[in-house]
Amino acid sequence: MRQQPVTRQSAYLLKSGQFFTVNSKGKNNQTIYDHAGGWDALYRHTDIFYHACLADPILQPLFGQEQPGHVEKFTAFTAETFGGPDKFSKEMGGFRHLIDAHRGFNITEEQRQRFVDLYMEAADKAGLPTDKPFRDALKSHVDFGSHVAKQNSNARSESELHPLREVPKWNWAPDEEH
């Protein structure tokens, strides 16, 4: 699925050639958030994913012990990214909090890829939609986000951080109906 930029300032090119932008609605005005099933579906997905990470020998060192509120914060971030409520930015510290939370973790490529794999497996277990446009959006979202987190976790200075400073908004390809 090809993501379309709204403006040069509001779009980032992904390695896959896809874009994410600040526009998150498709032709019929359905957001990815709505298509996924809204808050409850994304919360269910995040809960399954988070607990898989806690139990995974590759990721557990990054996640440590279960943290109260982590599932809600991760769900809020994902919801906002997919066109849902902006609770993460307005009530949970926003993107700067996310940058600071990953600093110093020194995420490896093996950990980044395992994160992506478990995220996609959790989508199946949570019963999220299986249509290709949705799964492409979900995969590009977690793949991009994990690259940003890896870069930020290894940054030794502000200048080494990824340039993204706001919650990204994913959108549907402009020529696809949803």
Side-chain angles (χ1 to χ4, degrees), residues 4-38:
Q4 185 79 339
V6 174
T7 67
R8 201 174 263 289
Q9 291 78 23
S10 65
Y12 289 85
L13 179 63
L14 306 179
K15 286 183 179 183
S16 65
Q18 296 176 309
F19 288 91
F20 70 84
T21 72
V22 295
N23 177 10
S24 60
K25 292 185 178 181
K27 280 184 179 178
N28 70 1
N29 263 355
Q30 184 182 43
T31 62
I32 297 171
Y33 171 81
D34 291 331
H35 186 77

Side-chain angles (χ1 to χ4, degrees), residues 40-50 119 122-123 126 128 138:
D40 291 342
L42 292 177
Y43 189 94
R44 184 173 60 251
H45 172 242
T46 301
D47 189 53
I48 291 167
F49 169 66
Y50 180 59
Y119 189 84
L128 292 184
L138 193 66

Side-chain angles (χ1 to χ4, degrees), residues 69-138:
H70 192 91
V71 171
E72 184 172 354
K73 284 181 184 173
F74 196 106
T75 302
F77 174 79
T78 304
E80 188 171 332
T81 298
F82 286 156
D86 59 0
K87 182 177 182 177
F88 184 80
S89 290
K90 289 193 172 177
E91 300 174 22
M92 298 180 162
F95 204 76
R96 186 68 217 193
H97 167 76
L98 194 59
I99 291 170
D100 293 341
H102 289 97
R103 294 291 294 268
F105 274 95
N106 300 313
I107 297 170
T108 67
E109 179 57 25
E110 178 186 29
Q111 290 167 323
R112 187 203 69 76
Q113 187 58 57
R114 185 68 179 146
F115 185 91
V116 171
D117 293 344
L118 290 179
Y119 189 84
M120 296 307 292
E121 288 173 20
D124 292 334
K125 292 176 183 174
L128 292 184
T130 59
D131 58 278
K132 184 170 175 19
F134 175 76
R135 289 302 174 109
D136 285 350
L138 193 66

Side-chain angles (χ1 to χ4, degrees), residues 149-167:
K150 180 182 172 201
Q151 181 175 338
N152 290 343
S153 78
N154 286 283
R156 301 289 177 250
S157 67
E158 289 289 311
S159 66
E160 292 178 354
L161 291 170
H162 190 278
L164 183 65
R165 293 294 185 272
E166 62 184 319
V167 174

